[in-house]
Amino acid sequence: MGAVSLQTAIVITGKSRRTLWRRIEEADLRRDADNSRNRTLLDGDWVRQNSLVDMGDEEWGLVLAGVGGDAAAQNGEGGVFLEAKIEAAALYWFEQAAAQNHADALHWLAHCHVAGKGAPENHALGMMYLARAANLGHVIASEQLSAIHRQVLR
């Protein structure tokens, strides 16, 4: 059911790189051929069954689309993990989408960094993400920046 990278498997399962390699060596987890970017690919069915969140067909479809580079799917998967309070995994997915200038993902990254969800609290980094989201036309981010600006100018 589609292979995923080792890094994606780490994020989705919460298992360490060492644990996943041990599972491969013990033949509990099948390693697929490496992809063209020389990334180790793992059996998607195993990863899905060992996910930190219940992976129904819709959620797994988001994972596979996200692995394929779909920024909207990456953002959606970030939301799935944030809702499940698995914040480090949410941050990973939001960062993948933000790297493609996905405005919603940038807004979520701002929220995560300001609130310390999945990363240490960092208001400066959160503001940078908020400004990037606003610059891309994210309406809520724009309004939030305006409100902050009004507070500072009081």
Side-chain angles (χ1 to χ4, degrees):
M1 170 162 297
V4 298
S5 71
L6 178 62
Q7 183 59 40
T8 300
I10 290 167
V11 170
I12 290 174
T13 65
K15 298 186 185 320
S16 70
R17 181 177 308 273
R18 180 177 176 175
T19 296
L20 291 175
W21 277 113
R22 190 175 68 248
R23 297 279 170 93
I24 291 167
E25 290 166 4
E26 295 170 354
D28 291 337
L29 171 59
R30 188 182 79 246
R31 177 181 177 189
D32 290 346
D34 292 353
N35 69 7
S36 61
R37 296 189 325 197
N38 215 22
R39 288 189 177 166
T40 299
L41 298 178
L42 304 178
D43 175 28
D45 287 332
W46 187 93
V47 172
R48 182 179 181 180
Q49 292 168 1
N50 288 277
S51 173
L52 293 168
V53 297
D54 183 31
M55 286 282 169
D57 290 341
E58 184 177 341
E59 288 81 9
W60 188 246
L62 282 176
V63 168
L64 294 179
V67 166
D70 182 318
Q74 293 164 340
N75 183 62
E77 201 56 34
V80 167
F81 280 95
L82 189 62
E83 186 175 316
K85 301 201 182 329
I86 305 169
E87 296 162 350
L91 203 66
Y92 168 82
W93 288 108
F94 290 141
E95 287 169 345
Q96 298 298 306
Q100 300 178 65
N101 289 321
H102 191 280
D104 282 340
L106 287 161
H107 186 249
W108 279 114
L109 279 175
H111 167 76
C112 288
H113 284 284
V114 168
K117 293 184 176 187
E121 191 173 300
N122 185 332
H123 290 206
L125 189 55
M127 291 300 295
M128 189 251 341
Y129 284 125
L130 190 64
R132 283 183 57 198
N135 191 46
L136 290 169
H138 194 279
V139 175
I140 296 170
S142 295
E143 288 298 319
Q144 289 172 327
L145 276 180
S146 294
I148 292 167
H149 185 74
R150 285 190 299 274
Q151 286 293 320
V152 170
L153 293 178
R154 276 186 163 185

